[in-house]
Amino acid sequence: MVDHPALEVTLVGGYYDMAVPLMATRDALRHAWLPPSRARLVALPAGHSVFADAPGRRAMRAIIDQLLRANANHQANPTTSQPPTRR
């Protein structure tokens, strides 16, 4: 994310997921010093496999569609013209 300042992260998880609890993911993001404005945590009313049923698949599709539209808009109207930095 340092090399790509426009990069944002969307994490999707099930509210009832006991294998990868959402609050643990949220805490891991905070400890990684990821700016909150560049991370989105989406909780779906599901367990670990949020896409196991039709409502979960519809929700995942809406999230992915939103990401693709945002990426297309970003590529059409980039906010930065600087190339990624190298470390």
Side-chain angles (χ1 to χ4, degrees):
M1 292 186 84
V2 170
D3 289 343
H4 303 283
L7 181 67
E8 295 179 2
V9 175
T10 298
L11 298 162
V12 180
Y15 186 76
Y16 305 106
D17 186 350
M18 298 304 283
V20 185
L22 282 173
M23 295 305 109
T25 302
R26 182 196 65 185
D27 291 343
L29 291 174
R30 286 183 181 168
H31 289 285
W33 297 98
L34 181 66
S37 62
R38 294 176 65 189
R40 178 176 163 218
L41 186 60
V42 179
L44 297 178
H48 185 70
S49 298
V50 296
F51 46 81
D53 59 2
R57 286 190 293 276
R58 283 192 294 273
M60 286 295 296
R61 180 178 177 144
I63 292 164
I64 293 168
D65 285 347
Q66 181 182 18
L67 288 170
L68 292 174
R69 280 193 305 275
N71 186 53
N73 290 337
H74 174 72
Q75 288 185 2
N77 304 307
T79 57
T80 178
S81 59
Q82 298 176 351
T85 58
R86 297 277 180 194
R87 287 190 235 175

